[in-house]
Structures are given as C-alpha cells and as structure tokens.
Amino acid sequence: MSAPATVAGIPAPPPLEKKPVKFSNLLLGAGLNMFEVTTLGQPLEVAKTTMAANRADGFAGAISRIWARGGVLGFYQGLIPWAWIEASTKGAVLLFVASEAEYYVKAFGAPDFVAGISGGMAGGLAQAYATMGFCTCMKTVEITKHKVASTGAKPPGTMATFMDIWRREGIRGINRGVNAVAVRQVTNWGSRFGLSRVAEQGIRRATGKEGGEKLGVMEKVLASALGGGLSAWNQPIEVIRVEMQSKTVDPNRPKNLTVGTTFKYIYSQNGMKGLYRGVAPRIGLGVWQTVCMVALGDIAKEWVEKITGDKVTAKH
C-alpha cells in the first residue's frame, strides 16, 4: 500500500470511502429497537401519548386512565403490530439513509460533525415518511379510541380499525400527521446528536479524558442520555403530532388539521403548558432507548456476530 501523498510536507487526508451497509448492522439495530420497545419503551410511549391527547391529565391521571382502559395490557396498546413494525424497520431505514447522506455531505467537503448531523437528519426524515408515519398514526389511534369502549360496545380490533381508516380516508388517513412526525424526527436526531457530543466533551473534561481515551459504558450512557433528554425541547411538535392523529372527539377542533392550525388550537385550549404535556415520559423514553442502545450494545454485537458470522461495524 503506497503512502498518502503530501502537500508542502503535510500528509493529505485519506481518500473518502463509502461504507457498505451490512446485514449484521441492520440486524443489530432491529434487535435492539425490538427489545427497547417491548420492555419499557411502549409503556412510556403510551403514557406520553395519553398525556398529549388528554392535556388536562397530569402523569398520575394518565396512568389511572391507562390502567382503567386495560390494566397492564393497557400500557402495551399499539405494540402489536405497529410498534413492532416501526422498531424492526426504523433502524434499517435510518442506518441506510444516514450512511448514504453522510458520505455525500463529506464528499462536498463538510467536516465530520456537520456530516454526522446531516446524515442523522436525513435518516430521520426518510424514516418518518417510509414507515414511522403510519406506525405512529395507528399507535395513536389504538391509544385514543377509548370512546367506543366507554359506550359499552366492543371496540374494533387493530386490523379492523386500520381497514376502516383506509376505506374512509385512504393513504392520507393512514399517514395523518406524517409531516409533524418528519419535523420531530429531523429536529430530534439533529439535536440529539449535537447535544450528546457536547455532553461527551463535558464528561471528558471532568474525567481527564480529553486526549481521546475511550469512555466507559456508564460515561457513554450518561452522555447519550443527556443528549436524548435535552432533545425533548421539541415536545410541542410531538403534542401536535398526537393531536393530529388522535381519535378524541372535540367539536371545537378544526376539521382539516395542519401543523399550524393544530398548534393554534392546542395553545388556545391549554396554553404553553399544554404544548409540553407528556415531556416527562418522553425524557424517560429517551434515557431507556440510550440504555438499550449503549449499555446492551456490546452484548448484542457479540450475539449478532455469532449468528451472522459477520463483524458488526455499527456504532451504538
């Protein structure tokens, strides 16, 4: 292998290589996401969505509402198949698009930090429109369709609900609120990446690892958890998304909701406080996702490498 060319005695940067998207990486992402959502992920998602849809409820009120709706199983409403579809596909979509976008942004001469954020934002955008839009819509429908049950009638099943929306509203009904999902994902991944790096730099300064030494598992968890928790600043767009997808009936609500009209409606009904309903369980969700991806990442890596015989190169 020839030595890299030099310019005025300074070695030229290595040529930019396009990293292949490996099956082992996709399997790792899907497996960790499935574990996360099936354990604490979906209960926190249900609590967050219930609070965003019923903005007069506090956390305790939301928990009581969920329990009354179905006991322990009420906290897992929308898990099968919607949360499982979302969890198993979002890692693949996100990783593939983020990797491609990061490569092309670097090819235009952007530094690694900018390329990383750009890749994450592009991946989040693709994820929203490819699979996450209809999955979040159906999860929200499942969680907010309690009006039928309160009349004493048996609520329709998951697929019956899906087909009913499809017949009445078509693809637009199934993807209701997808633009809000896209805005949330883009701002979420961009800020989570950036804030995690800021937190990591602070931890390195505090622990004397500014020379690039490897962070421990708990240090990585702390940096990513801070990034995930602080990225909940965009909770208003999440509350807007839930309201757009909600089956809760309110005669005061505008008929054809857009992101703008939904914002105005929520603010007029509940003020700024209403726009941040559900932020506590969302922070908890961000922390739990981090624990799963970082703390369990090495264990999952070994397991996937044994199954596939392929070395996992994904970062976690």
Side-chain angles (χ1 to χ4, degrees), residues 3-237:
T6 61
V7 179
I10 302 170
L16 182 62
E17 289 184 23
K18 193 172 185 180
K19 295 177 183 176
V21 177
K22 293 184 172 184
F23 171 71
S24 56
N25 289 355
L26 302 183
L27 184 60
L28 176 67
L32 286 170
N33 274 302
M34 287 287 283
F35 174 82
E36 176 269 316
V37 77
T38 307
T39 49
L40 281 178
Q42 189 60 13
L44 288 166
E45 176 75 23
V46 170
K48 176 189 73 173
T49 303
T50 301
M51 289 178 73
N54 304 278
R55 289 179 296 278
D57 289 356
F59 185 69
I63 297 300
S64 299
R65 187 185 290 270
I66 296 164
W67 185 266
R69 195 165 61 220
V72 173
L73 293 179
F75 290 91
Y76 286 91
Q77 226 167 344
L79 175 67
I80 304 170
W82 312 117
W84 276 5
I85 292 172
E86 182 187 326
S88 60
T89 58
K90 75 179 182 182
V93 173
L94 180 70
L95 186 66
F96 177 75
V97 176
S99 177
E100 290 290 300
E102 188 171 356
Y103 169 78
Y104 286 110
V105 172
K106 279 184 180 178
F108 277 107
D112 289 350
F113 184 73
V114 174
I117 290 180
S118 302
M121 291 171 74
L125 190 68
Q127 176 190 347
Y129 285 109
T131 59
M132 205 169 173
F134 81 88
C135 286
T136 58
C137 182
M138 292 311 302
K139 282 192 295 180
T140 305
V141 167
E142 289 281 313
I143 294 164
T144 59
K145 68 178 184 180
H146 56 82
K147 187 175 173 65
V148 176
S150 65
T151 63
K154 186 180 178 182
T158 295
M159 292 314 296
T161 303
F162 178 87
M163 292 310 298
D164 180 54
I165 296 172
W166 179 267
R167 280 191 297 269
R168 287 187 291 107
E169 303 176 64
I171 192 71
R172 290 186 70 178
I174 295 299
N175 275 289
R176 188 175 301 284
V178 70
N179 291 334
V181 174
V183 173
R184 188 198 76 180
Q185 287 304 96
V186 167
T187 55
N188 197 45
W189 279 104
S191 60
R192 179 177 281 202
F193 183 96
L195 291 167
S196 294
R197 291 296 172 272
V198 170
E200 186 179 306
Q201 287 167 6
I203 290 168
R204 285 188 179 281
R205 277 195 295 270
T207 57
K209 293 182 178 178
E210 293 179 83
E213 295 88 346
K214 192 174 180 181
L215 293 179
V217 171
M218 290 313 297
E219 289 168 336
K220 285 196 282 185
V221 167
L222 179 59
S224 297
L226 285 169
L230 291 171
S231 66
W233 64 266
N234 66 356
Q235 180 66 6
I237 198 65

